[in-house]
Amino acid sequence: MDKLLSLPELRANPFGERMCLIFSSTKDGDCTFEDFLDMMSVFSEAAPKSVKAEYAFRIFDFDGDDYLGRSDLEETITKLVSPQRFSSEDMKALVNRVLEEADLDDDGMLAFAEFEHVISKSPDFANSFRIRL
Amino acid sequence: MGSMSELRPLLREMKAHREDMSGDRNSGCRTSAAMSGSGGRGGSGGRGQKAGSARRGGWEDAGVEFYREAYPTSVDNIYDTRITTLLPSKRHNVNSLGRGTVRRRASQRSRRQPPTTTATLVHTSRRGSDTYLEVLPDLTQGVDEEETWEKLQQIRAHAVPIEEKRKLKQQLQSAPTLRTRGLAAFKLSRRKFFSQTKSRLREMISKIELWHWSLRYVEGNFGTGLVAFFTFIKWLLYLNLFTCVLLGVFILVPQIFLVHSKDSCIVDSWPNSVYDNETFLYENDTNCCTKYYNEIQSNSPKRDNYYLIQLVQDGVQGTGPLELSYLFYGYYPRHILVLEVAPEWKYNLPLAYLLVLVVTLILSLVLMVRAAARGLRESLRSSEGQFYQYCNLIFGGWDYCIENNKAASIKKKAIYNELCNHLETERYNEEKEQRTKKERCRLYMVRLLVNMVVLALLSVSFVAIYKSTIFAFDHLKDAKDSKESEQDKLMILLFEYLPSGVIVTLNIIIPYLLRALVKLEHYTPNSILVLTLIRTVFLRLASLVILLISIYQSIPACPDSKPSECIDECTRPWCWETYVGQQLYKLTILDLIIMFLTTFLVNFPLKCIGHKLMRGSQIGAAIGDIEFAIPKHVLDIVYGQTLCWLGMFYSPLLPAVTCIKLVLVFYIKYFDCKVNSSQSSQLYRTSRSNALFISILLVSFIVTIIPVGYSIAEIKPSLACGPFRGLDTIWSEMLAVIEESPDWLKAVLLFLGTAGFAVPAIIFLILAGYYYYAVAAANKHMVSLLKNQLVLEGHDKQFLLSRLNHMIKMSAEEGGENTSARSSRPVEDETGHSNDQTLEA
């Protein structure tokens, strides 16, 4: 996995480790060529939005329970802004706002359907979830 | 309903699976779910204190706890997560061709049943970290080639690793298929061919993309926000190339290759020529004027000293030999061109000139609206009443193209800042609610004051431009008449460039002032950006308009004494169209030179001084850190394009000049971005930026249409030059052609111009707009209703699941006490169906 993380495309990415884990067929972060091909094809421009949404969901789902719970969201935000940090009330406020916006059935977590709904409305996602070779 | 009998089969099943650890893997994801999710029953053991009431059994006895556990909002699942995997919605998530087909979407062209019932089913389950697949080929009906091919195309949309896709493809291809015959086969092969060609073409085009590596560099180091700016330049370049090609093919090429008869100027027949019937071919009075004008131009005294400087000056201003060239309107003749070898093939140049320009403008408008609509659709879709601010930022905020560690850390900081900003804005808004009346009053007064100051500034600048133009023009006339001494030559130069110089100075100073003023108004950062942009756009466009007005003032309609008087006492240029073309050409070149100078002679030294000489010090950082402010650069580009559109009618080669200019501008801005600028700390959102750029372009396009349209329709063309000399207005050429066309065409075209057509058309458009607005409002209402319903359903689900859990626990304890015979009922494995059966039994 370290070799992968030294590639220019993944080197500066805060979610680089998650990406390696998700796409690796042996689940330990090491990718064969086919896994790498998978990764690049999902991040290419021609990949349909549903595929990207699916893999984005898997990347953000840190504990692997098929839901984006509070801990997942907090972990995402922390990774996104490190080394800066939010105070715990700010973090709580942020997670609350995200859940307010996206959690349609009010169960405290984001299921895939809700996540996909938000992503389809997000104009920046399609442009930024992409690696150009 | 409410009895234990329904739950018994479920319980039995769960017990059976618990016992049957090495169960067959064929039973669908439920098995694996139950097995791998068996992290013990510790998760559900937390409700020990409820055990007492559970003993009593039945819904009625639950009493108070019933309500206490009704609406869980905390994360702790109070029901066993195994139960959730039994829900139909979860099952749907993980079966049948990936997640997308919950909506039961049929394939696009299928005339048969939707493929989900007959297609292969792929199950993936991700409980724990296992992924396994189960494929059930369906061979009940033969599938024909077309369906197979469509399914093959859809494989790409599955979110599974490549190996599984390969397996699926193999399977689909090895399944027996019916061959299609005849017309269907032909259509299928054509479809295949088209889709293959399209993808190959796309690949080829992406390889020869212009400036690919430069854009990649910017993307990797600065993020996609900046790339949007450079892509905008590229798009404009393509638009200008397209315009250029159109104009070249229809105006330039005929002019070069076809010939026309000579102008004859017979001085004696001047008084009679007014009644000449042949409106197109020979107009003696204007012919004489043309001849005279050409003579004056070619015989202008050549200033032989400083020949090179003269050349450069002429090149920049468009005077001298350039004046009577293809570059400007004045050179084009008012004749019907014919092919030398075949004189019957006629080409009406004046009509072509007019029509091609109008068509080009319309086509540019169509292309721009299409591009803007794409961006608008995205931003509308995201804000149909609600913009997912936080979600957009958190999920879509990270730019996966960034390759540079430094850029990444800056981007992280930018995201952090933006999130902090959002939180602060919210707190600020809350505070605002509680603002006292006095404070609100004060704020409004301040805002009003600032707006008035801004208006004053803008009007002062407009007046300054106007006055300077008139001043320069008057003095230029005087100076040109007495051009002897060197000092006069310098004065001439000064006066030529005075209006442009004033405009440029104002364009530099005023935005600074605007930015300082807007800080006093206490708006949110978004509003600040938009407001500053609007005001600066106003300034730039309006300065152009003022220039145009002042030019218009200097071509006064001289009292027409006699139509044959082209040599008259009015102090106006011989050929005012060429004069306008020259001014705009001059402005274009000047714009380019100033951009060049600013980048290389101002920004670059500042950066060198700041970063190299005074490294490490505060002042050095303050001087050397120049940010690449996108709005300012966008306005530069839009300004250049506006000049091009304004001047297109009077200088048909101006788009070509603009093309070359855009290429140079790209490299200048690229150098500015790469070498001079430090990373910007502001987050630029690509989507919004694109829509913003193109809408500014549209606004300036509309502003340029007005002067051009007015000049075509109202102003009398000059007598001495151009394809429209001798007519009353340029548009009368078109009218003359309409007059001579067949009757039915004439009737239709004339009808389009009357009020009888315009008024019903306007009414119809208003009604259509209102209809769409009503539909949109109804949809919005529907959406809010459905959202509320969804929340209620979610609460219902949680409530029911918690009760179910309760019940299971109760009965498990009961069942553990009486070891009654458990009939291990064989579980059915029709995937997707047994579940519902169990719950409804």
Side-chain angles (χ1 to χ4, degrees):
Chain A
M1 182 156 71
D2 300 321
K3 266 216 189 120
L4 269 177
L5 289 177
S6 67
L7 284 175
E9 282 85 12
L10 291 179
R11 144 172 89 195
N13 202 330
F15 299 112
E17 277 179 27
R18 270 309 280 175
M19 281 158 66
C20 294
L21 278 172
I22 295 289
F23 285 99
S24 123
S25 46
T26 52
K27 300 295 166 210
D28 63 352
D30 293 332
C31 290
T32 65
F33 173 68
E34 288 202 349
D35 298 332
F36 186 71
L37 196 58
D38 263 335
M39 190 190 320
M40 288 299 130
S41 95
V42 166
F43 279 99
S44 79
E45 290 181 11
K49 218 169 179 193
S50 55
V51 173
K52 290 197 197 235
E54 167 80 45
Y55 277 102
F57 187 75
R58 291 189 203 171
I59 289 181
F60 292 136
D61 187 12
F62 284 89
D63 49 14
D65 63 352
D66 247 7
Y67 282 106
L68 292 182
R70 272 174 187 266
S71 62
D72 292 325
L73 290 173
E74 282 183 7
E75 183 84 27
T76 307
I77 298 181
T78 315
K79 278 222 152 84
L80 205 52
V81 295
S82 74
Q84 280 85 232
R85 287 232 223 106
F86 282 110
S87 65
S88 64
E89 359 149 316
D90 277 346
M91 184 66 87
K92 236 193 207 164
L94 280 175
V95 171
N96 278 339
R97 298 291 286 136
V98 169
L99 287 176
E100 233 177 79
E101 284 177 357
D103 192 10
L104 292 174
D105 60 3
D106 204 21
D107 57 358
M109 331 179 258
L110 294 184
F112 177 70
E114 293 159 344
F115 180 76
E116 193 181 9
H117 180 245
V118 169
I119 287 295
S120 70
K121 300 270 170 68
S122 154
D124 289 330
F125 178 75
N127 287 328
S128 59
F129 200 75
R130 169 174 76 171
I131 294 182
R132 258 205 264 191
L133 285 175
Chain B
M1 215 243 77
S3 74
M4 294 307 299
S5 58
E6 319 163 347
L7 298 172
R8 206 152 277 155
L10 177 62
L11 290 171
R12 256 183 245 127
E13 187 184 277
M14 290 181 73
K15 276 197 205 143
H17 282 299
R18 230 179 294 133
E19 247 116 338
D20 205 1
M21 277 306 180
S22 60
D24 26 45
R25 312 278 268 166
N26 271 347
S27 28
C29 48
R30 213 171 7 131
T31 320
S32 71
M35 289 203 314
S36 55
S38 55
R41 313 197 58 204
S44 48
R47 298 282 162 192
Q49 71 262 34
K50 298 265 184 349
S53 57
R55 291 237 166 234
R56 275 171 280 157
W59 306 87
E60 313 75 27
D61 297 334
V64 176
E65 297 98 11
F66 190 95
Y67 287 103
R68 224 184 287 148
E69 64 183 342
Y71 298 110
T73 48
S74 69
V75 161
D76 326 316
N77 295 335
I78 64 167
Y79 41 80
D80 197 338
T81 41
R82 275 176 291 172
I83 300 187
T84 55
T85 62
L86 302 174
L87 290 172
S89 60
K90 283 290 282 181
R91 300 297 316 290
H92 250 133
N93 268 352
V94 298
N95 74 356
S96 61
L97 298 172
R99 296 202 202 253
T101 44
V102 177
R103 297 167 232 147
R104 271 169 269 134
R105 180 179 32 172
S107 75
Q108 284 105 340
R109 289 166 188 252
S110 86
R111 295 157 292 250
R112 308 166 194 85
Q113 284 174 333
T116 45
T117 50
T118 58
T120 54
L121 294 171
V122 174
H123 293 259
T124 65
S125 155
R126 295 190 285 104
R127 263 340 260 184
S129 51
D130 276 326
T131 308
Y132 79 96
L133 295 175
E134 184 184 299
V135 176
L136 301 175
D138 184 352
L139 301 169
T140 52
Q141 342 173 330
V143 282
D144 64 359
E145 277 186 12
E146 178 155 4
E147 228 181 83
T148 316
W149 183 72
E150 274 172 16
K151 276 183 229 149
L152 277 175
Q153 301 298 94
Q154 285 171 6
I155 287 183
R156 234 179 274 171
H158 296 191
V160 288
I162 268 191
E163 267 196 58
E164 319 305 347
K165 289 187 194 173
R166 242 188 248 147
K167 276 194 216 150
L168 202 60
K169 176 173 174 190
Q170 234 176 19
Q171 185 151 44
L172 275 175
Q173 278 179 334
S174 60
T177 59
L178 304 170
R179 290 181 60 99
T180 49
R181 263 182 275 260
L183 188 62
F186 172 68
K187 277 202 211 159
L188 180 64
S189 66
R190 216 183 47 173
R191 256 177 78 190
K192 280 192 201 173
F193 175 69
F194 271 147
S195 84
Q196 263 176 4
T197 333
K198 217 166 40 167
S199 64
R200 248 183 242 143
L201 208 65
R202 211 183 310 152
E203 204 184 304
M204 238 181 0
I205 288 184
S206 76
K207 286 203 187 115
I208 60 173
E209 210 183 288
L210 194 57
W211 293 321
H212 180 69
W213 287 108
S214 320
L215 288 178
R216 268 265 310 182
Y217 176 84
V218 170
E219 197 173 50
N221 283 314
F222 292 91
T224 46
L226 214 53
V227 172
F229 170 69
F230 288 103
T231 316
F232 178 62
I233 298 185
K234 203 165 72 161
W235 186 81
L236 267 184
L237 180 67
Y238 288 151
L239 184 68
N240 276 323
L241 267 176
F242 172 69
T243 312
C244 215
V245 161
L246 268 183
L247 286 177
V249 164
F250 288 105
I251 298 184
L252 207 59
V253 165
Q255 172 72 359
I256 296 178
F257 289 115
L258 303 180
V259 295
H260 63 87
S261 36
K262 288 263 172 257
D263 298 327
S264 74
C265 176
I266 311 166
V267 183
D268 292 330
S269 60
W270 270 14
N272 299 332
S273 61
V274 183
Y275 305 102
D276 214 351
N277 261 343
E278 303 176 64
T279 49
F280 280 15
L281 295 181
Y282 295 104
E283 295 192 336
N284 287 338
D285 46 354
T286 55
N287 285 350
C288 290
C289 286
T290 316
K291 206 161 173 192
Y292 193 62
Y293 170 65
N294 286 354
E295 276 173 18
I296 289 194
Q297 283 305 112
S298 35
N299 294 342
S300 62
K302 288 212 185 351
R303 292 163 273 195
D304 289 295
N305 39 352
Y306 311 114
Y307 184 56
L308 197 64
I309 300 184
Q310 187 63 30
L311 210 63
V312 166
Q313 206 179 3
D314 279 341
V316 167
Q317 289 173 10
T319 49
L322 277 182
E323 187 158 344
L324 275 185
S325 66
Y326 292 115
L327 186 58
F328 292 115
Y329 168 101
Y331 187 64
Y332 293 88
R334 180 173 174 61
H335 284 284
I336 298 186
L337 305 173
V338 293
L339 197 55
E340 206 160 358
V341 292
E344 307 87 37
W345 289 17
K346 301 204 170 113
Y347 187 82
N348 189 344
L349 186 70
L351 185 63
Y353 194 95
L354 182 60
L355 271 182
V356 166
L357 270 145
V358 169
V359 164
T360 310
L361 285 175
I362 294 180
L363 279 177
S364 309
L365 181 66
V366 164
L367 285 172
M368 277 194 300
V369 167
R370 257 187 42 172
R374 230 178 295 145
L376 204 64
R377 209 181 309 147
E378 299 248 344
S379 72
L380 265 185
R381 209 190 314 166
S382 66
S383 64
E384 32 154 75
Q386 182 190 13
F387 181 53
Y388 297 98
Q389 235 176 11
Y390 290 89
C391 289
N392 192 27
L393 197 53
I394 293 178
F395 294 133
W398 181 258
D399 200 347
Y400 286 74
C401 288
I402 291 187
E403 301 175 355
N404 195 350
N405 273 328
K406 204 168 89 155
S409 63
I410 293 193
K411 180 98 184 185
K412 286 182 189 172
K413 214 186 224 170
I415 296 183
Y416 175 73
N417 282 337
E418 181 119 1
L419 282 172
C420 281
N421 253 346
H422 281 316
L423 286 175
E424 283 226 8
T425 324
E426 277 198 22
R427 290 198 197 114
Y428 170 76
N429 280 338
E430 283 171 17
E431 238 181 65
K432 204 169 89 154
E433 304 288 305
Q434 308 157 1
R435 215 185 273 160
T436 65
K437 229 184 183 166
K438 201 166 105 173
E439 282 184 16
R440 215 178 296 186
C441 248
R442 228 191 86 214
L443 188 66
Y444 288 157
M445 286 298 295
V446 167
R447 282 190 189 162
L448 193 63
L449 207 65
V450 167
N451 273 323
M452 300 214 325
V453 169
V454 164
L455 269 178
L457 267 180
L458 289 179
S459 11
V460 161
S461 39
F462 298 163
V463 167
I465 298 174
Y466 181 68
K467 282 263 152 45
S468 67
T469 317
I470 299 287
F471 178 79
F473 195 74
D474 291 337
H475 281 256
L476 208 54
K477 275 291 154 213
D478 296 337
K480 270 207 171 128
D481 293 335
S482 62
K483 45 188 177 185
E484 278 142 19
S485 61
E486 291 291 317
Q487 183 140 18
D488 277 345
K489 280 196 205 135
L490 206 62
M491 295 298 280
I492 292 178
L493 202 66
L494 208 66
F495 284 130
E496 284 272 4
Y497 285 99
L498 186 62
S500 330
V502 169
I503 293 182
V504 164
T505 324
L506 283 173
N507 275 338
I508 297 180
I509 298 181
I510 303 271
Y512 270 131
L513 293 173
L514 287 178
R515 243 176 300 176
L517 280 174
V518 90
K519 286 206 189 100
L520 294 174
E521 290 179 297
H522 289 294
Y523 282 123
T524 56
N526 266 352
S527 316
I528 289 184
L529 184 68
V530 171
L531 211 55
T532 322
L533 209 60
I534 291 179
R535 287 174 179 160
T536 321
V537 163
F538 235 116
L539 175 70
R540 288 242 178 172
L541 285 183
S543 60
L544 255 187
V545 168
I546 299 285
L547 188 72
L548 284 178
I549 292 182
S550 47
I551 292 179
Y552 175 67
Q553 295 270 0
S554 58
I555 41 166
C558 287
D560 343 68
S561 33
K562 281 181 279 186
S564 49
E565 275 285 353
C566 56
I567 316 157
D568 49 21
E569 299 304 316
C570 289
T571 58
R572 60 173 176 168
W574 285 106
C575 197
W576 64 266
E577 292 98 347
T578 306
Y579 176 71
V580 170
Q582 277 173 334
Q583 295 299 316
L584 290 168
Y585 172 78
K586 189 166 67 175
L587 273 178
T588 309
I589 304 274
L590 202 66
D591 197 30
L592 179 65
I593 293 179
I594 292 203
M595 256 192 252
F596 183 80
L597 288 177
T598 323
T599 304
F600 287 100
L601 293 188
V602 174
N603 283 350
F604 189 53
L606 276 180
K607 177 183 159 10
C608 285
I609 295 176
H611 280 179
K612 303 277 169 58
L613 295 181
M614 302 213 262
R615 189 185 288 211
S617 71
Q618 281 271 21
I619 313 177
I623 296 182
D625 270 344
I626 311 169
E627 273 190 18
F628 192 82
I630 289 188
K632 169 178 164 315
H633 292 280
V634 167
L635 284 179
D636 283 339
I637 309 282
V638 168
Y639 179 71
Q641 187 61 32
T642 315
L643 288 175
C644 175
W645 279 326
L646 272 178
M648 202 156 65
F649 190 74
Y650 302 108
S651 165
L653 283 186
L654 197 57
V657 172
T658 315
C659 275
I660 302 176
K661 178 184 167 205
L662 274 176
V663 172
L664 292 173
V665 161
F666 180 88
Y667 285 112
I668 293 177
K669 299 279 181 204
Y670 183 63
F671 179 83
D672 205 356
C673 171
K674 188 167 165 174
V675 175
N676 289 349
S677 312
S678 51
Q679 312 265 0
S680 161
S681 57
Q682 249 195 335
L683 211 56
Y684 283 115
R685 297 219 199 95
T686 323
S687 53
R688 247 191 353 181
S689 320
N690 260 334
L692 194 67
F693 300 162
I694 298 204
S695 33
I696 296 180
L697 201 64
L698 263 178
V699 165
S700 57
F701 181 82
I702 294 178
V703 168
T704 63
I705 289 287
I706 300 176
V708 173
Y710 179 75
S711 72
I712 291 182
E714 295 290 319
I715 306 186
K716 187 170 159 63
S718 50
L719 287 175
C721 60
F724 302 104
R725 58 177 193 257
L727 297 172
D728 274 334
T729 63
I730 299 180
W731 189 247
S732 47
E733 174 81 28
M734 192 72 196
L735 290 177
V737 169
I738 294 182
E739 286 291 325
E740 303 200 352
S741 54
D743 273 336
W744 58 271
L745 194 59
K746 190 159 75 168
V748 166
L749 287 176
L750 285 181
F751 173 68
L752 285 181
T754 58
F757 172 74
V759 170
I762 291 181
I763 293 184
F764 175 71
L765 281 174
I766 293 181
L767 281 177
Y770 183 71
Y771 166 72
Y772 281 115
Y773 165 75
V775 166
N779 279 339
K780 221 185 200 178
H781 183 61
M782 189 69 171
V783 163
S784 69
L785 273 180
L786 286 173
K787 273 203 183 144
N788 286 338
Q789 178 127 10
L790 199 55
V791 170
L792 287 175
E793 296 288 331
H795 287 171
D796 279 350
K797 178 180 98 173
Q798 285 166 34
F799 171 71
L800 288 173
L801 279 175
S802 67
R803 295 310 300 167
L804 187 62
N805 191 39
H806 209 101
M807 288 300 173
I808 290 179
K809 267 185 298 189
M810 266 178 11
S811 72
E813 280 147 22
E814 276 176 22
E817 289 173 1
N818 358 336
T819 55
S820 48
R822 307 173 324 239
S823 59
S824 52
R825 201 168 77 167
V827 192
E828 261 139 82
D829 291 309
E830 298 303 309
T831 43
H833 295 304
S834 59
N835 222 8
D836 305 36
Q837 285 176 5
T838 341
L839 286 179
E840 286 159 13

